[in-house]
């Protein structure tokens, strides 16, 4: 999500300018190294985290710096691209013959990317190294990037939504910060108390500026529904989906949730004016820095929306390789292998705030055991990651178009305004059925 606001250093801005200025020339060059060798190879990396201000951009730069230390023979030229534009800009680059070699591709765009981009099988590029490297990585996430049993993507920056809350505002409203809400009904009750004390109550980041529907899906899943059935039917207008989004709209109409974009909600939470912020754990690094010295920041698991357990899904991105040049592919594999290694995932968690995607890292004293002893904000989400619901995509090569349509035409007017929930979801579902050719 591109919702980070702090300033980057002058040197990092210089690096970004050099990368942008040279990317067309670099990405159009052919490697001269022999196949299977990486000495002297230059690859391009398109990333929506790179170049952003705050923890995401700074953490990505640290990863690039560390890779350069380990692999001085490989030059990685990063390209900054807005999260909402990753797929369209990559398609344009492919058509122009200047496609990036490695892309950070959001999960809301991966399904369409696999249909419309020349994504290479990362499993086949890795060859004999694949099995050992993939062992220990969350297998449900690897499966998300697989087709016909072959992996085309590796999970890179992944998170699930959680409740971040201002413990000081809880106390000011006469609430116990040691007992955060666990259900949507309790969320509403806490939000009402905080609102009555003169602050904003809660904000669910469903209206995502990156046009991702991870939080929308988390709400619908937890209400007992889904946006797509197991046999490919569009089900975002089911009774369960209507109930889930109605619950969010009720918060807005009751004055417990501000009718603003997610960036404004982030600003309100960071300034201490919003009691609860239900958002991806990817913002943990940014909001922690904003809260330090201003208010006590805590977190809780994603709430239930029915009598069943909460079923949040994941947001974030995978890494995919587009290059068809064998030398570039091998260099790209070394890069992807590092970014998804124990060290890479540890750096991502410590410096950005995404969840560690190798389960043993959280308890390994060599990696993240010490971090989680001191930093507890990610623990509720880490517990839910073990049973995370799979991210679902609309079928066909127009999956991302359908997601954007869903977010813009249904979620935004329902959550932020007073659109009729059932009628809006039914109309949008019918439009998506026509778009993707699904029942």
């Amino acid at each position: 999500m591109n919702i980070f606001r702090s300033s980057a250093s002058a040197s990092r801005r210089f690096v970004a300018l050099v990368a942008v200025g040279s990317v067309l020339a670099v990405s159009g060059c052919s490697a001269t190294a022999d196949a299977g060798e990486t000495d002297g190879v230059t690859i391009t990396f398109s990333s929506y985290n790179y170049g952003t201000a705050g923890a995401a951009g700074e953490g990505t730069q640290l990863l690039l710096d560390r890779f350069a230390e380990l692999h001085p023979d490989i030059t990685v030229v990063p390209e900054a691209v807005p999260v909402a534009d990753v797929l369209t800009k990559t398609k344009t680059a492919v058509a122009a013959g200047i496609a990036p070699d490695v892309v950070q591709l959001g999960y809301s765009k991966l399904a369409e990317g696999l249909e419309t981009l020349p994504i290479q099988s990362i499993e086949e590029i890795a060859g004999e190294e694949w099995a050992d490297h993939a062992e220990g990585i969350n297998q449900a996430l690897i499966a998300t990037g697989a087709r016909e049993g072959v992996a085309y993507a590796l999970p890179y920056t992944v998170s699930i939504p959680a409740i971040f809350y201002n413990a000081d505002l809880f106390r000011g409203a006469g609430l116990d910060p040691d007992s955060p809400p666990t259900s949507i009904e309790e969320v509403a009750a806490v939000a009402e108390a905080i609102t009555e004390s003169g602050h904003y109550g809660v904000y669910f980041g469903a209206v995502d500026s990156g046009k991702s529907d991870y939080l929308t899906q988390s709400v619908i899943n937890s209400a007992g529904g889904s946006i797509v059935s197991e046999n490919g039917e569009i089900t975002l207008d089911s009774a369960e989906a209507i109930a889930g989004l109605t619950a969010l709209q009720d918060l807005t109409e009751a004055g417990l949730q501000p009718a603003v974009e997610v960036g404004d909600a982030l600003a309100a939470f960071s300034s201490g004016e919003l009691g609860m912020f239900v958002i991806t754990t990817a913002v943990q690094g940014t909001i922690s820095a904003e809260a330090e010295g201003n208010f006590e920041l805590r977190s809780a698991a994603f709430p239930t929306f029915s009598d069943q357990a909460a079923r949040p899904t994941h947001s974030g991105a995978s890494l995919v390789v587009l290059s068809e040049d064998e030398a570039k592919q091998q260099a790209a594999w070394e890069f992807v292998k590092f970014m998804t290694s124990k060290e890479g995932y540890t750096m991502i968690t410590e410096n950005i705030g995404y969840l560690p995607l190798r389960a043993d890292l959280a308890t390994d004293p060599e990696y993240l055991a010490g971090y989680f002893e001191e930093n507890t904000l990610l623990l509720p989400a880490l517990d839910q990651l073990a049973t995370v619901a799979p991210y679902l995509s609309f079928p066909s090569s127009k999956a991302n178009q359908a997601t954007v349509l869903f977010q813009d035409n249904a979620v935004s007017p329902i959550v932020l305004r007073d659109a009729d929930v059932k009628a809006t979801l039914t109309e949008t579902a019918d439009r998506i059925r026509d778009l993707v050719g699904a029942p």
Side-chain angles (χ1 to χ4, degrees):
M1 294 180 66
N2 189 21
I3 56 176
F4 305 96
R5 291 291 181 269
S6 60
S7 61
S9 67
S11 61
R12 195 157 295 127
R13 289 197 299 268
F14 175 76
V15 170
L17 289 172
V18 171
V20 171
S22 62
V23 64
L24 297 182
V26 171
S27 60
C29 293
S30 297
T32 57
D34 295 332
E37 296 182 358
T38 60
D39 188 31
V41 176
T42 296
I43 58 173
T44 49
F45 172 44
S46 177
S47 167
Y48 62 74
N49 284 151
Y50 176 75
T52 58
E58 292 167 6
T60 301
Q61 187 63 57
L62 289 173
L63 286 163
L64 293 170
D65 292 344
R66 179 58 176 155
F67 180 78
E69 291 177 8
L70 296 173
H71 295 275
D73 55 322
I74 301 173
T75 299
V76 178
V77 179
E79 308 169 343
V81 57
V83 60
D85 300 335
V86 170
L87 184 58
T88 55
K89 286 187 177 294
T90 303
K91 286 181 179 180
T92 300
V94 169
I98 54 172
D101 299 302
V102 181
V103 179
Q104 178 190 11
L105 190 59
Y107 279 104
S108 65
K109 299 162 181 61
L110 179 59
E112 183 169 328
L114 289 170
E115 294 283 342
T116 60
L117 295 175
I119 295 175
Q120 307 298 305
S121 167
I122 194 71
E123 182 174 349
E124 293 177 1
I125 293 173
E128 295 180 355
E129 293 187 284
W130 173 257
D132 286 342
H133 182 75
E135 185 178 3
I137 299 178
N138 187 300
Q139 293 301 300
L141 296 173
I142 290 181
T144 302
R147 290 296 180 271
E148 298 180 357
V150 178
Y152 284 79
L154 269 175
Y156 169 49
T157 48
V158 171
S159 56
I160 62 175
I163 303 175
F164 293 98
Y165 65 96
N166 186 324
D168 293 348
L169 291 187
F170 270 54
R171 297 186 187 98
L175 302 167
D176 181 3
D178 293 330
S179 300
T182 61
S183 67
I184 187 61
E185 292 82 10
E186 291 179 1
V187 166
V190 169
E192 183 175 8
I194 293 174
T195 300
E196 290 177 351
S197 71
H199 302 277
Y200 296 116
V202 65
Y203 185 87
F204 279 79
V207 182
D208 186 357
S209 57
K211 306 303 181 184
S212 170
D213 60 343
Y214 76 94
L215 201 145
T216 305
Q217 286 199 38
S218 296
V219 169
I220 293 175
N221 293 344
S222 299
S226 65
I227 64 167
V228 179
S229 70
E230 292 183 358
N231 59 5
E233 294 180 342
I234 307 301
T235 55
L236 60 87
D237 54 346
S238 66
E240 293 80 6
I242 291 169
L245 289 179
T246 296
L248 294 194
Q249 186 183 71
D250 288 346
L251 294 173
T252 307
E253 292 189 340
L256 307 180
Q257 173 169 257
V260 299
E261 298 292 336
V262 68
D264 293 328
L266 176 63
F269 188 76
S270 298
S271 66
E273 290 300 318
L274 174 64
M276 295 173 288
F277 194 19
V278 187
I279 193 71
T280 168
T281 51
V283 304
Q284 179 262 155
T286 297
I287 61 178
S288 293
E290 297 289 344
E292 187 173 0
N294 296 314
F295 61 87
E296 183 184 354
L297 176 65
R298 296 193 188 184
S299 65
F302 191 81
T304 60
F305 276 72
S306 66
D307 56 0
Q308 304 174 23
R311 297 187 64 247
T313 191
H314 60 89
S315 60
S318 60
L319 291 177
V320 298
V321 175
L322 270 59
S323 178
E324 298 179 2
D325 178 278
E326 289 190 47
K328 285 180 176 286
Q329 285 183 350
Q330 290 306 310
W333 167 241
E334 291 298 327
F335 181 62
V336 171
K337 183 169 63 173
F338 166 72
M339 299 295 246
T340 59
S341 67
K342 289 187 175 183
E343 182 177 4
Y345 281 148
T346 295
M347 292 180 67
I348 288 168
T349 296
E350 289 180 336
N351 297 298
I352 304 179
Y354 288 102
L355 297 172
L357 303 182
R358 294 178 179 272
D360 59 338
L361 294 180
T363 56
D364 191 330
E366 186 177 348
Y367 293 99
L368 288 169
Y371 173 85
F372 280 112
E373 287 178 3
E374 298 182 4
N375 300 273
T376 59
L377 286 174
L378 292 179
L379 290 179
L382 188 62
D383 289 341
Q384 288 187 321
L385 180 63
T387 57
V388 67
Y391 178 86
L392 300 178
S393 295
F394 294 109
S396 92
S397 61
K398 297 179 179 179
N400 184 57
Q401 294 180 52
T403 298
V404 173
L405 177 63
F406 178 35
Q407 287 294 112
D408 286 348
N409 288 46
V411 179
S412 181
I414 287 172
V415 175
L416 300 187
R417 299 186 288 279
D418 59 352
D420 182 275
V421 181
K422 182 176 181 180
T424 302
L425 285 177
T426 299
E427 179 183 355
T428 303
D430 287 341
R431 291 187 61 182
I432 290 176
R433 290 181 184 110
D434 290 340
L435 176 68
V436 304

